[in-house]
Amino acid sequence: MASSSSSNVTGIGAPVRRKEDHRFITGKGRYTDDINQPGQTWGSFVRSPHAHAGIKSIDKSAALAVPGVVAVLDGKDLAADEIGGLICGWMIHSKDGSEMKAGAHPALALDTVRYVGDHVAIVIAETQGAAKDGAEAVVVDYDGRPAVIDLATAQKAAPVHEVSNDNTVYDWELGLKAETEAAFEKAAHIVSIDITNNRLVPNAMEPRAAIGCFDEGTGNYTLYTTSQNPHVARLILSAFIGIAPEHKLRVVAPDVGGGFGSKIFVYAEETVCVWAAKKVGRPVKWTCDRSEAFLSDCHGRDHISHAELAVSEDGKFLGLRVKTLANLGAYLSTFSSSVPTYLYGTLLSGQYAIPAIYVEVDGIYTHTAPVDAYRGAGRPEAAYLVERLVDRAAHQLGRDPAELRKQNFVREFPYETPVIMTYDIGDFDASLDRAMEMIDYKGFDARRAEAATRGKLRGIGISTYIEACGIAPSKAVGSLGAGVGLWESAEVRVNPTGSVEVLTGSHSHGQGHETTFAQVVSDKFGIPIEDVEIVHGDTDKVQFGMGTYGSRSGAVGMSALANACDKVTVKAKRIAAHLLEVPVDEVTLTDGVFAAVSTNETLAFGEVSLAAYMAHNLPEDGMEPGLAEKAFYDPENFTFPAGCHICEVEIDPETGVTRIANFVAVDDFGTVINPMIVEGQVHGGLAQGIGQALLEEGIYDKDSGQLITGSYMDYTMPRADDLPTYQVDMTITKCPSNPLGIKGCGEAGAIGSPPAVINAVAHAIGNDDIAMPATPQRVWRSLQESA
Amino acid sequence: MYAFNYKKAASLSEAKTLFASGDDPLLMAGGQTLIPTLKQRLASPSDVIDISKLAELKGIEVSGDGVVIGAGQVHASVQNSAEVKEAIPALSALAGEIGDPAVRHRGTLGGSIANSDPTADYPAACLALGATIHTETRTIEADDFFTDLFETALEEGEIVTKVSFPVPDKAAYVKFPNPASRYAIVGVFVAQKGGKVRVAVTGAGSKVFRVAAMETALESNFSADAIGEIAVPSGDLNSDLHASADYRAHLITVMAKRAVAACG
């Protein structure tokens, strides 16, 4: 637990300024594109202009004649070197027990292209410009074919992959089918909703980049890449794709400018760069441009669902049944199969005691970019569905939305849901009550009346969300099909002088780990964070780790760190006791000082670490010199951040423009390491959630399969003036299953906010069929139709 | 970006000479449209002739009945000019709503109108204020200048040097921006001068255009109510992801009403 040392201004709970920000905001960060290697070449990818086509032939001759072009490599070259395809690492089984149908995903297309932007060949040249000139000069003879774009009808269309005749990757189910049917039979009310969760394009600030290197002397490969999890990338590239044995491949993910999930996955481009480096005998660098990112980064969300809620006469939820079509795009990306299943179906109980839930999800192939985890990953889709449905139920039953929620809240913990989650702790009333107080829920009618005098439609919307973080207990996810364990590692190296290096398997790409992880160490040892260095993102430096996604770095990564620190403390106290000549249980460590209670003698932290390395006078029981410890932490359970978001909007009925008048977020993240950073995470998550609700949508042309929203001219990224000043607060119940009591905060903003916004818009316009994003045109049209 | 020859002109006449001698030359003022186009490899000129620093294209002069702005003046200079603000506040306000601060400090008046982007703001001001566009050889009335989508009355290589805007009795510009690009989905500039009213619409059609029915109605009754029932037919209007033609038609009336109301 947090130390009792109240004098520690850089410990757990302190709003310490981010150590890394000075380098980022002064341009001193070192991102992949900032790195250059001697003799480096540049790669540019030839990409499919078609959503679906056969490749009849590839003529490289004109490209090879472009000045500066070094090589042109295609799928046949990859196959000749027996380089394997990209993989999906989570096996999902269909209802009949059969395995999901994974179509081959070569890093360079062999005979078929399956989405606009699909990777066909790489042109390697002396300069980036020459590589691009070369890529334009490659002549690919395509045999254009009809594309499957529309998710709703894809199961009746021609197959995207031969392995699945009906474009269904899996038909998965979870929950209590018979009990759910029975619940519906005795229901007084059945509330139903058809709902779309719009496709999003991630748009990390730093586009993806990679540099592949091969050292002919040692036979070692190095890949610099924009990854959230370099060890996982190395494992996949070696064990599955076959680039090099794991110990001959180093993966470095240096400063990374945002990921939001999109940089978890092992992509074709980095695979090709590291393979091609040996092929051409020189480093190969590729930096994605923004247009390319729109086409080739994995997208997020993209569900169509029908859901029904069975409700008793007096408003108790009796059962929930859900049928979802989840667009997985043209190929299964690294973790795509798990997102609409175990990260979605398992959260459909929301904050409510619903005795029977049954969910069916069909994962669907279409000729669009692969869809995988994006901030929230499955949980925003679940929260959106549940919270829209509950609001509709309140409307249909003539109940206040807050009251109906309260009537059905889970209040006894642990609570086992019908969809295999065990909620360990929470206080859903506390966050709802606090949010209602902050937004002055009771005063809404007066505000609505005042808005009406200005010709504006005002609405209020609630979302009481829950999500699962701390992913995840390895044994549990292993039984559900995960191809990896989801523990985390940390090594704490105390130097002879008493400064500390932490090697963590977590990866920071904007989260502020260099500050928050140092705060944990500062708290544990009572030393200033300036004395702590956080090392991450390099497989040559750091022991195997699982990386950062799913809001797991606090709950899992910091737990490993806390445990490693505790091991260090145990050994250091033994050394101190020996030097102070007192029994070990008499030694305390406070504010970086070891003290013997009976003698009042002390030793500074650095004196003990020096003694550990000098080894002149260690306890005479065979203690090894040095002061460094390692911990691998495997969580016992998921963690369950939850909270309440309330949004108030004003709509201009003449134009359909929605302005967010007020937004309150009250979240329960368990223990907070740094409240300033957590608030920043909430703000960022809210921006993305509000973006999904009002602005963003990835749209493909239904016939041609071209990405219509392929640039910022058409894809509406949230800007500062689209967003309100947030009111943020927290109600805290500490997670009982990990040593620091952390739940996780990275995704909650994006999970909780979309239903709050849309419920508010629906309330304002009196029509809850409004879909995301609630653009001005869509709101205006909805008002026209109901007029 | 494809390779090209960059040539910086020292004078208007040198710019003309450089243009005449290029295989496939392009003139660049602020470059706020051209440079993104080049970066996306959507244009491959042989020569880019930089006219952004030409003194002959600079200057803002305000007299009793007119404002004359050099074609090379960046938007921010028009936005922040005390004289323009005093003479035609709607014009400086319009300049302040173009793009973002970076665009406003590079993009120029001449570049904007010469491009005749159907979603640009300045064309609406030119048309509604009855501006005169000056080139190195002649003057062209705004009514004759904008001929089609990205098409103007300019001859090949002809350079806009300045624009004269008559000072109206009252004027206002109201824009409904595209949520993504922030270009105008509909922008309406309304100007009244000596009993005459001009209403110019940008963003909605293939080029900026006037709405005669609204002008007539406003000339007899200059109030928002006078045009509340006047709708521009949607048949010729743009339709895209963000706004169908009927939504644009509706927005024209709404923005026009708001512009009239903003005229005070």
Side-chain angles (χ1 to χ4, degrees):
Chain A
M1 297 304 293
S3 91
S4 55
S5 139
S6 58
S7 59
N8 191 340
V9 295
T10 60
I12 290 173
V16 181
R17 283 197 174 193
R18 288 168 32 124
K19 291 172 74 175
E20 48 270 78
D21 279 353
H22 189 264
R23 102 168 167 271
F24 292 150
I25 64 178
T26 57
K28 300 292 192 293
R30 188 169 157 83
Y31 298 89
T32 299
D33 187 59
D34 294 322
I35 297 169
N36 291 295
Q37 297 295 326
Q40 167 183 291
T41 61
W42 283 87
S44 178
F45 285 86
V46 177
R47 295 185 182 278
S48 170
H50 300 282
H52 185 204
I55 298 174
K56 293 201 280 190
S57 64
I58 298 176
D59 183 350
K60 304 175 180 177
S61 55
L64 287 166
V66 169
V69 168
V70 173
V72 180
L73 303 172
D74 63 18
K76 286 181 183 156
D77 299 308
L78 260 181
D81 281 4
E82 297 182 347
I83 301 298
L86 306 177
I87 62 152
C88 179
W90 196 310
M91 174 55 67
I92 298 295
H93 291 88
S94 287
K95 290 170 187 165
D96 64 4
S98 62
E99 296 189 342
M100 67 184 186
K101 293 164 180 166
H105 189 184
L108 293 172
L110 262 179
D111 51 14
T112 309
V113 288
R114 292 188 173 86
Y115 64 99
V116 173
D118 202 353
H119 21 84
V120 175
I122 184 172
V123 175
I124 297 165
E126 299 292 344
T127 65
Q128 191 174 26
K132 288 190 174 191
D133 289 344
E136 284 178 8
V138 173
V139 179
V140 184
D141 188 3
Y142 290 106
D143 168 22
R145 297 170 189 168
V148 181
I149 304 299
D150 181 44
L151 175 58
T153 56
Q155 286 168 304
K156 295 188 180 114
V160 174
H161 288 279
E162 285 176 10
V163 292
S164 177
N165 287 330
D166 58 0
N167 290 321
T168 305
V169 182
Y170 48 70
D171 62 72
W172 174 85
E173 64 179 346
L174 184 68
L176 313 170
K177 187 176 185 182
E179 290 86 338
T180 305
E181 295 311 315
F184 274 84
E185 277 168 25
K186 65 180 182 192
H189 308 278
I190 294 176
V191 183
S192 65
I193 196 164
D194 289 290
I195 204 163
T196 298
N197 204 287
N198 39 323
R199 177 183 278 246
L200 301 177
V201 183
N203 283 301
M205 193 182 291
E206 178 207 21
R208 289 187 295 121
I211 309 170
C213 308
F214 177 68
D215 183 328
E216 214 176 311
T218 60
N220 290 348
Y221 291 82
T222 302
L223 171 64
Y224 298 89
T225 185
T226 48
S227 174
Q228 300 179 211
N229 43 348
H231 281 95
V232 175
R234 184 178 67 157
L235 177 64
I236 291 174
L237 286 165
S238 59
F240 295 93
I241 299 177
I243 294 289
E246 198 173 4
H247 63 294
K248 303 299 277 183
L249 173 61
R250 174 188 179 197
V251 177
V252 183
D255 284 334
V256 174
F260 313 112
S262 71
K263 294 172 182 168
I264 298 171
F265 325 123
V266 174
Y267 284 93
E269 294 86 355
E270 55 205 351
T271 303
V272 169
C273 283
V274 69
W275 161 72
K278 183 179 180 187
K279 219 62 192 154
V280 300
R282 293 168 66 181
V284 177
K285 179 173 181 173
W286 165 78
T287 300
C288 190
D289 61 32
R290 185 60 66 185
S291 305
E292 208 175 5
F294 266 98
L295 296 177
S296 65
D297 287 1
C298 285
H299 295 175
R301 317 280 193 261
D302 208 347
H303 286 192
I304 300 174
S305 298
H306 176 78
E308 294 176 322
L309 184 66
V311 188
S312 75
E313 187 60 45
D314 65 348
K316 288 293 285 181
F317 300 162
L318 304 174
L320 171 67
R321 57 188 174 205
V322 178
K323 175 68 194 269
T324 293
L325 299 181
N327 196 344
L328 297 177
Y331 301 97
L332 297 186
S333 171
T334 314
F335 288 109
S336 63
S337 56
S338 65
V339 175
T341 50
Y342 289 108
L343 297 180
Y344 165 73
T346 52
L347 273 304
L348 286 170
S349 197
Q351 297 189 352
Y352 313 106
I354 308 176
I357 300 175
Y358 177 65
V359 52
E360 297 169 281
V361 179
D362 291 356
I364 307 291
Y365 283 124
T366 59
H367 288 114
T368 63
V371 178
D372 205 326
Y374 172 61
R375 200 171 195 169
R379 291 153 289 160
E381 295 91 317
Y384 184 65
L385 183 139
V386 172
E387 291 304 297
R388 290 288 314 280
L389 187 57
V390 167
D391 239 49
R392 178 169 284 194
H395 185 67
Q396 199 166 313
L397 272 64
R399 295 281 303 276
D400 177 83
E403 284 306 312
L404 184 67
R405 283 175 167 87
K406 274 179 167 272
Q407 184 185 350
N408 288 283
F409 274 165
V410 171
R411 291 198 177 81
E412 289 179 13
F413 300 92
Y415 174 80
E416 203 171 315
T417 72
V419 279
I420 67 169
M421 283 296 188
T422 303
Y423 296 169
D424 51 2
I425 198 167
D427 186 345
F428 306 144
D429 291 282
S431 48
L432 175 58
D433 290 344
R434 178 71 184 125
M436 289 170 71
E437 178 193 334
M438 285 168 70
I439 208 156
D440 182 20
Y441 192 74
K442 287 180 187 151
F444 172 75
D445 288 343
R447 294 194 294 279
R448 178 178 240 188
E450 186 280 327
T453 67
R454 291 180 281 111
K456 297 292 192 288
L457 306 172
R458 196 163 175 123
I460 192 165
I462 297 175
S463 156
T464 49
Y465 74 92
I466 191 163
E467 57 144 334
C469 294
I471 172 168
S474 297
K475 193 174 170 186
V477 295
S479 73
L480 302 177
V484 287
L486 288 167
W487 44 267
E488 195 47 87
S489 69
E491 181 175 344
V492 175
R493 294 180 185 161
V494 183
N495 295 319
T497 55
S499 63
V500 174
E501 286 151 21
V502 171
L503 296 92
T504 171
S506 298
H507 183 274
S508 187
H509 32 278
Q511 293 87 346
H513 292 178
E514 288 167 43
T515 308
T516 52
F517 278 58
Q519 284 183 255
V520 173
V521 176
S522 172
D523 201 89
K524 286 286 183 186
F525 299 151
I527 60 175
I529 57 168
E530 290 74 20
D531 290 357
V532 184
E533 189 72 12
I534 307 299
V535 179
H536 65 96
D538 186 340
T539 60
D540 261 14
K541 292 181 182 169
V542 180
Q543 69 290 341
F544 199 100
M546 297 310 301
T548 290
Y549 38 84
S551 308
R552 68 191 304 273
S553 296
V556 190
M558 282 184 188
S559 296
L561 173 58
N563 288 352
C565 286
D566 288 346
K567 289 185 188 176
V568 167
T569 301
V570 167
K571 183 172 181 182
K573 278 186 174 175
R574 286 183 57 212
I575 297 169
H578 176 71
L579 297 174
L580 294 168
E581 298 178 333
V582 295
V584 70
D585 57 8
E586 204 185 292
V587 176
T588 61
L589 171 58
T590 309
D591 288 345
V593 175
F594 294 92
V597 176
S598 61
T599 63
N600 233 5
E601 300 222 29
T602 62
L603 286 169
F605 190 75
E607 290 179 286
V608 173
S609 61
L610 188 62
Y613 286 94
M614 297 300 284
H616 294 166
N617 184 13
L618 291 175
E620 288 171 1
D621 57 0
M623 177 185 274
E624 293 176 7
L627 194 54
E629 298 288 351
K630 199 174 281 190
F632 286 73
Y633 172 78
D634 199 356
E636 294 166 22
N637 190 3
F638 293 90
T639 66
F640 297 94
C644 176
H645 294 182
I646 306 183
C647 177
E648 229 172 291
V649 298
E650 273 192 15
I651 289 170
D652 177 352
E654 282 194 315
T655 59
V657 169
T658 299
R659 183 181 71 83
I660 294 181
N662 203 351
F663 198 103
V664 168
V666 179
D667 300 292
D668 177 358
F669 299 135
T671 300
V672 170
I673 304 298
N674 182 323
M676 183 179 68
I677 287 178
V678 167
E679 189 169 336
Q681 286 284 327
V682 172
H683 283 207
L686 292 177
Q688 280 173 301
I690 292 168
Q692 172 165 31
L694 296 180
L695 306 167
E696 300 181 48
E697 186 170 21
I699 301 173
Y700 283 92
D701 183 88
K702 286 267 190 278
D703 297 319
S704 69
Q706 298 294 325
L707 182 64
I708 298 172
T709 53
S711 80
Y712 295 136
M713 293 295 282
D714 286 309
Y715 188 88
T716 312
M717 282 292 281
R719 304 191 194 196
D721 63 356
D722 291 315
L723 303 167
T725 299
Y726 310 112
Q727 298 183 65
V728 175
D729 200 1
M730 287 177 226
T731 57
I732 292 173
T733 59
K734 289 190 178 184
C735 176
S737 71
N738 63 53
L740 298 172
I742 295 172
K743 295 183 182 178
C745 69
E747 296 158 292
I751 293 167
S753 57
V757 175
I758 296 299
N759 285 341
V761 171
H763 185 230
I765 65 174
N767 178 357
D768 74 351
D769 272 332
I770 189 77
M772 293 196 293
T775 59
Q777 174 171 238
R778 196 170 260 164
V779 171
W780 175 76
R781 203 166 294 289
S782 173
L783 286 166
Q784 297 303 301
E785 284 162 7
S786 53
Chain B
M1 204 177 274
Y2 298 108
F4 56 82
N5 300 311
Y6 172 81
K7 293 173 179 170
K8 188 165 188 173
S11 67
L12 202 50
S13 62
E14 193 194 1
K16 299 289 292 178
T17 308
L18 290 171
F19 190 89
S21 65
D23 286 338
D24 187 12
L26 279 175
L27 296 165
M28 179 174 76
Q32 295 306 289
T33 299
L34 178 59
I35 289 176
T37 307
L38 292 172
K39 286 171 78 172
Q40 291 180 77
R41 300 185 148 228
L42 295 173
S44 54
S46 59
D47 304 85
V48 169
I49 299 157
D50 186 348
I51 56 170
S52 64
K53 301 292 184 221
L54 295 186
E56 292 142 291
L57 306 182
K58 300 293 182 190
I60 296 178
E61 288 171 32
V62 177
S63 59
D65 58 354
V67 173
V68 181
I69 302 176
Q73 289 296 136
V74 298
H75 311 322
S77 70
V78 177
Q79 173 190 3
N80 297 322
S81 159
E83 289 97 340
V84 177
K85 251 184 224 172
E86 173 73 24
I88 316 179
L91 185 61
S92 70
L94 174 147
E97 286 180 27
I98 300 173
D100 53 35
V103 167
R104 291 196 289 274
H105 282 82
R106 295 292 300 184
T108 65
L109 169 61
S112 173
I113 65 170
N115 193 39
S116 189
D117 186 318
T119 63
D121 299 297
Y122 266 132
C126 291
L127 203 54
L129 292 168
T132 303
I133 288 97
H134 301 253
T135 74
E136 76 282 15
T137 55
R138 59 178 173 149
T139 61
I140 308 168
E141 294 308 311
D143 280 316
D144 304 322
F145 184 81
F146 303 101
T147 55
D148 206 344
L149 184 74
F150 297 111
E151 296 286 341
T152 67
L154 292 170
E155 302 290 334
E156 182 80 3
E158 189 175 6
I159 296 173
V160 176
T161 55
K162 61 188 176 184
V163 180
S164 317
F165 297 94
V167 173
D169 299 337
K170 40 174 111 169
Y173 177 64
V174 178
K175 168 162 69 169
F176 188 88
N178 178 315
S181 70
R182 303 287 173 100
Y183 280 91
I185 277 182
V186 167
V188 180
F189 202 114
V190 173
Q192 185 190 46
K193 185 178 175 67
K196 288 286 177 193
V197 175
R198 293 165 70 101
V199 177
V201 178
T202 190
S206 60
K207 59 165 185 154
V208 65
F209 62 89
R210 289 171 63 186
V211 185
M214 287 187 182
E215 294 178 351
T216 308
L218 290 169
E219 280 169 5
S220 57
N221 173 16
F222 194 82
S223 75
D225 288 344
I227 55 171
E229 301 302 318
I230 300 177
V232 170
S234 60
D236 292 335
L237 298 183
N238 298 337
S239 189
D240 59 28
L241 174 68
H242 302 282
S244 61
D246 65 328
Y247 182 49
R248 272 192 166 83
H250 166 79
L251 287 174
I252 290 172
T253 306
V254 174
M255 295 301 120
K257 282 165 60 186
R258 291 182 183 184
V260 170
C263 283

